[in-house]
Amino acid sequence: MRSICQQICRADKESKNEAVPQDIRSLLEFFPTCLEKHASSSNPIVLVLDSLDQLSDDDGGRELDWVPKELANNVYMILSTLPGAEYICFPKLQPVGGKSYTSPNDTKLAPTIKGIVHDLLDRVERLHGKVLVSQALTYIAASRNGLTEPELEDILSLDDVVLNDVYQYWTPPIRRLPPLLWIRIRSDIGDYLIERGADGARVINWYHRQFIETARERLPRKRASSCWDSLKYERLFPRKMVRWCEEVFCGQEWK
């Protein structure tokens, strides 16, 4: 909470040197005042606090007593936590205000995080094709440390299930996945992927474990295994790629 207050003060040039209390009792009083003081119609404050279930138990962090009961004008908070009785903050998390510019009749939000992820992936599949999207996202989730984009394109280009779906109505001169298809998919889910260094390369992987678990759930173990077998024994699949896939995919738990 002190870090949040410090960032808010630094963002305001007139108050960047404002002293922020260190003890929890003073912070509890300072926090709502800080929000109200620095928020305005021209400079609203939007706080996005994810994974409240990972907060420390110290000073009642998961009890959420530090969350203001009412928010000042031009202050908005978006809070999230894993569901379940074992997470103290879940039953305590209540709407704390804010406005929506979308009619409630046009808004549908699943009651769980996984449900929201499923809805997102359903939408992406409708836009770009169920087979291509499900295979691509599952390969990412199944990999040990993530995949480079050329690796992902190579794997999808060796997957007959994907290619048969992509090339339903014509036969290409080169039977390979067009790179533009993955670029379009990534443009819709880029906010939920992370790029980092692993195994000497820049790889992409899911940003949050909820996406990994949901992606694996969407492709049953039997189908995932058959996809791997079809790649492993494809005659055109170079032996070095077989060894690479064994290193990347084998040993992964599949739920």
Side-chain angles (χ1 to χ4, degrees):
M1 185 164 53
R2 186 168 188 269
S3 174
I4 294 174
C5 292
Q6 288 176 327
Q7 293 179 59
I8 292 174
C9 292
R10 282 198 295 266
D12 189 336
K13 295 181 180 180
E14 297 180 358
S15 305
K16 61 181 180 180
N17 295 321
E18 183 175 356
V20 177
Q22 295 191 18
D23 64 283
I24 186 63
R25 180 170 296 182
S26 299
L27 273 173
L28 289 174
E29 297 178 359
F30 182 82
F31 183 45
T33 303
C34 178
L35 293 174
E36 183 176 7
K37 176 182 177 181
H38 296 285
S40 65
S41 57
S42 59
N43 291 292
I45 293 176
V46 181
L47 295 180
V48 182
L49 305 178
D50 187 24
S51 301
L52 296 181
D53 51 280
Q54 297 183 20
L55 287 175
S56 170
D57 286 330
D58 297 342
D59 300 315
R62 295 186 186 180
E63 296 286 344
L64 302 187
D65 292 334
W66 51 272
V67 177
K69 302 300 181 184
E70 295 184 3
L71 294 178
N73 292 333
N74 305 306
V75 176
Y76 307 89
M77 297 184 73
I78 301 174
L79 312 176
S80 74
T81 177
L82 289 177
E86 66 272 25
Y87 302 111
I88 300 174
C89 50
F90 180 66
K92 293 180 175 291
L93 191 59
Q94 299 292 332
V96 291
K99 298 180 180 179
S100 173
Y101 295 96
T102 303
S103 169
N105 295 329
D106 298 329
T107 302
K108 180 181 178 182
L109 191 64
T112 65
I113 295 177
K114 280 192 176 181
I116 295 173
V117 176
H118 276 298
D119 289 344
L120 169 67
L121 298 184
D122 284 341
R123 180 180 64 81
V124 176
E125 288 180 354
R126 288 194 298 271
L127 288 173
H128 303 287
K130 180 177 178 62
V131 173
L132 173 59
V133 172
S134 64
Q135 297 291 89
L137 302 188
T138 304
Y139 282 134
I140 294 174
S143 62
R144 180 177 288 111
N145 296 317
L147 298 171
T148 67
E149 291 189 287
E151 287 171 345
L152 180 59
E153 290 180 11
D154 285 342
I155 293 173
L156 292 172
S157 295
L158 291 166
D159 191 331
D160 283 336
V161 175
V162 172
L163 295 182
N164 289 340
D165 183 70
V166 170
Y167 295 118
Q168 292 184 54
Y169 306 109
W170 68 292
T171 302
I174 299 177
R175 189 172 164 83
R176 182 176 174 82
L177 184 77
L180 184 59
L181 296 184
W182 166 246
I183 292 174
R184 289 173 176 170
I185 295 173
R186 181 165 184 178
S187 69
D188 280 342
I189 61 171
D191 291 340
Y192 312 106
L193 296 173
I194 186 172
E195 186 172 321
R196 61 186 179 84
D199 303 323
R202 299 295 296 178
V203 300
I204 54 174
N205 207 339
W206 289 110
Y207 179 77
H208 197 280
R209 65 181 181 275
Q210 291 286 334
F211 281 89
I212 297 175
E213 294 172 2
T214 304
R216 291 180 177 180
E217 287 178 0
R218 294 171 72 87
L219 193 65
R221 178 191 294 268
K222 183 176 180 180
R223 183 178 167 196
S225 178
S226 65
C227 290
W228 159 239
D229 288 340
S230 67
L231 290 177
K232 183 176 180 180
Y233 296 109
E234 170 61 51
R235 286 186 301 172
L236 299 179
F237 204 175
R239 289 301 306 169
K240 63 179 181 180
M241 286 292 288
V242 172
R243 291 194 297 272
W244 171 82
C245 280
E246 288 173 342
E247 293 175 357
V248 171
F249 292 103
C250 289
Q252 300 299 299
E253 293 184 3
W254 199 276
K255 298 181 179 179

